[in-house]
Amino acid sequence: MAGVGGKSAVSFSVLKRSFSLRGSPRSVLTGGRRSAQEGRLVARPPHPLRAHRHPAYVCFSYQDSMSETLRTCYVYLNQTSRSFAAVIQALDGELRHAVCIFYLVLRALDTVEDDMTIPLEKKVPLLHDFHTFLYQPEWCFTESREKDRRVLEDFPTISVEFRNLGQEYRDVISDICHRMGVGMAEFLEKKVASMKEWDKYCHYVAGLVGIGLSRLFSASQLEDVEVGRDTELANSMGLFLQKTNIIRDYLEDQQQGRAFWPQEAWSQFASRLEDLAQPQHLSSALSCLNLLVTDALRHVPDVIAYLSRLRNQSVFNFCAIPQVMAIATLSACYNNPQVFHGVVKIRKGQAVTLMMQATNMGAVQSIIAQYSQEILQKVSVTDPSREKTLCILNVICEKSLSGAALSSRAHHISPVYVSAAMLLAALSWQYLNATAGPPGGADMQGH
């Protein structure tokens, strides 16, 4: 799996990582089966995001009317998903249960992929057939040594709640589980060589999650049908988060014998991927790092387009929070030697602020503009990817600028609009400098 191990993602992001705190990256009930106290789905016409509880203040009283097995599923969710558990539990109505089960099914699949003690001759069939276990009431797996092995050992508890879901949810979860399992198996012994293969790997372990979640959103009728149909935007949501994980966790993955940085990128700067961690190769390492950050940034315009379509507040929070965490993480990683020598993470206070702010489109675009500007200020005139970096930052800025202008309801000039306008002007100046290439030119930090 990209050499030795695998990364897959859930919640548009990660099975084993969250952007709010530190982690590790790898990849409802309907038909009258639950009481009205659990919250029935009410279809809503498209409308601006309405006032809604923030996930930090979710009331968990709905658990009182749950079955014992569903209650256990939420226990597993809280044990395995860390900070995403609260966001999942803030989802409205039956969608909450569908996403919870979706998460746990993919967590179980990922646990199989990650377990290096399972021989390949056994692991490959397990990954290929995993979706069929959802309809085998007694199936479980007791041979894993992974820390989250409980979701495999007690899989009957998860699968029974899967079978309690409406058909529209079961079809989505089973299909994504099948496609993801096949993709994981493909990369068990295959290194991520080209940038195209990097996209393919991230699609299997994260893009499919975005596509599956989007189909669940539409199936619940909380979001328009188009949200589930536009697989390109949904795929970009997952790829942006997964690439951020892979970039940030270079050192951790190296220490665990895993390799996820694409060879096409790192081979331009080093003979071996592990050489990038050597002090004498710092300049080359930063060039490779910045190349990959630039590649990840190209998904941000799709992220903005996707989020702008959402109408349900709980779904918006669920999708937006990981994305703003990701752009903040990329900003922290860009041109940062610490990626190769330690841990790069968002401060807890910063993470909490982002979570509290990212509840409407205008705020999200303001955050994206802010961190895009931070990256801009770190772009060196000597960086090989400078022109591409400035170009994509320019596109991101234009998207943020147009959204900020539309979202402002005040009669005066919005601070977000001013910030985006200043960023656009700075980007244009930088981009022109890059293309002109004057001798002895300096970037905004004087490099």
Side-chain angles (χ1 to χ4, degrees):
M1 41 194 104
V4 188
K7 292 174 183 283
S8 54
V10 165
S11 189
F12 274 136
S13 70
V14 291
L15 281 165
K16 293 186 180 175
R17 292 213 175 138
S18 92
F19 285 106
S20 58
L21 303 175
R22 178 67 184 164
S24 125
R26 300 309 159 214
S27 261
V28 213
L29 302 173
T30 57
R33 304 184 75 105
R34 303 293 170 199
S35 72
Q37 292 169 295
E38 289 187 55
R40 296 199 180 278
L41 176 66
V42 179
R44 299 176 177 85
H47 55 74
L49 291 176
R50 53 187 166 74
H52 195 279
R53 65 194 183 279
H54 191 277
Y57 307 116
V58 178
C59 174
F60 298 104
S61 60
Y62 65 82
Q63 294 190 11
D64 295 340
S65 55
M66 287 182 184
S67 67
E68 187 62 34
T69 50
L70 185 57
R71 225 182 340 259
T72 301
C73 285
Y74 277 96
V75 170
Y76 292 153
L77 173 67
N78 282 281
Q79 289 175 346
T80 59
S81 71
R82 302 178 183 90
S83 38
F84 275 109
V87 190
I88 291 173
Q89 289 170 117
L91 289 168
D92 285 340
E94 61 189 22
L95 178 62
R96 176 192 312 126
H97 301 321
V99 174
C100 173
I101 300 306
F102 185 42
Y103 180 94
L104 292 176
V105 168
L106 298 188
R107 166 65 78 181
L109 175 67
D110 176 72
T111 302
V112 171
E113 185 210 20
D114 273 353
D115 195 331
M116 305 306 294
T117 67
I118 304 174
L120 288 180
E121 59 270 21
K122 178 179 288 188
K123 182 181 290 189
V124 171
L126 279 173
L127 294 174
H128 280 160
D129 299 338
F130 201 87
H131 67 290
T132 67
F133 304 148
L134 293 167
Y135 290 99
Q136 299 178 28
E138 304 303 320
W139 185 89
C140 64
F141 187 78
T142 58
E143 301 172 34
S144 176
R145 296 295 176 264
E146 289 289 295
K147 64 182 180 63
D148 293 321
R149 60 185 177 273
R150 185 60 181 157
V151 294
L152 288 170
E153 295 169 346
D154 194 22
F155 197 74
T157 292
I158 298 169
S159 67
V160 71
E161 289 302 333
F162 163 83
R163 293 188 296 276
N164 282 337
L165 295 173
Q167 186 68 45
E168 65 273 26
Y169 298 125
R170 296 200 305 270
D171 289 347
V172 172
I173 295 171
S174 177
D175 175 55
I176 297 300
C177 181
H178 183 199
R179 292 161 65 184
M180 185 177 290
V182 171
M184 287 176 169
E186 178 182 336
F187 279 91
L188 278 175
E189 295 184 290
K190 178 181 177 181
K191 292 184 178 181
V192 179
S194 67
M195 299 298 287
K196 186 175 180 180
E197 285 180 338
W198 198 36
D199 277 358
K200 186 178 183 181
Y201 174 73
C202 291
H203 164 73
Y204 281 141
V205 301
L208 284 175
V209 179
I211 292 169
L213 285 167
S214 300
R215 289 168 60 187
L216 292 178
F217 299 157
S218 294
S220 73
Q221 300 181 38
L222 292 176
E223 296 295 346
D224 294 338
V225 174
E226 187 60 26
V227 171
R229 285 179 179 168
D230 196 333
T231 57
E232 184 176 349
L233 293 187
N235 186 59
S236 284
M237 292 282 284
L239 263 62
F240 181 57
L241 299 179
Q242 187 66 12
K243 287 181 177 181
T244 301
N245 283 336
I246 290 172
I247 291 167
R248 179 192 63 186
D249 294 322
Y250 164 86
L251 186 62
E252 178 183 320
D253 289 331
Q254 282 292 295
Q255 291 170 342
Q256 295 179 0
R258 303 176 186 272
F260 298 103
W261 282 26
Q263 185 174 358
E264 181 181 336
W266 61 257
S267 63
Q268 299 177 42
F269 308 100
S271 300
R272 302 179 304 165
L273 179 58
E274 54 266 35
D275 290 345
L276 296 177
Q278 301 301 317
Q280 64 269 29
H281 296 135
L282 178 59
S283 178
S284 295
L286 291 177
S287 294
C288 184
L289 168 64
N290 295 343
L291 183 156
L292 294 180
V293 170
T294 299
D295 181 79
L297 286 171
R298 68 184 172 89
H299 300 293
V300 174
D302 281 352
V303 169
I304 294 172
Y306 182 96
L307 293 175
S308 67
R309 287 181 175 176
L310 301 179
R311 294 294 176 264
N312 177 268
Q313 184 69 57
S314 71
V315 172
F316 184 87
N317 293 346
F318 176 83
C319 297
I321 290 173
Q323 300 295 332
V324 297
M325 297 293 183
I327 189 72
T329 299
L330 275 188
S331 176
C333 288
Y334 185 84
N335 210 45
N336 187 352
Q338 188 66 13
V339 170
F340 304 98
H341 305 299
V343 177
V344 176
K345 57 183 178 181
I346 303 173
R347 299 185 308 275
K348 290 184 180 180
Q350 181 184 8
V352 171
T353 299
L354 290 171
M355 291 178 70
M356 298 300 292
Q357 290 178 343
T359 56
N360 64 81
M361 198 60 214
V364 167
Q365 287 172 295
S366 178
I367 292 168
I368 290 173
Q370 171 193 336
Y371 286 107
S372 296
Q373 187 171 34
E374 285 190 6
I375 294 172
L376 168 69
Q377 293 171 345
K378 293 185 281 189
V379 178
S380 169
V381 292
T382 60
D383 188 84
S385 303
R386 173 186 167 88
E387 185 174 336
K388 290 182 179 179
T389 306
L390 296 177
C391 184
I392 187 57
L393 287 173
N394 188 46
V395 173
I396 293 169
C397 177
E398 289 175 346
K399 298 290 185 181
S400 298
L401 175 62
S402 61
L406 290 173
S407 65
S408 176
R409 298 184 181 181
H411 295 291
H412 61 278
I413 298 177
S414 166
V416 173
Y417 184 92
V418 173
S419 174
M422 292 174 64
L423 176 56
L424 180 59
L427 278 168
S428 300
W429 180 83
Q430 282 277 72
Y431 185 70
L432 288 172
N433 258 5
T435 53
D443 66 5
M444 295 183 71
Q445 290 184 306
H447 293 152

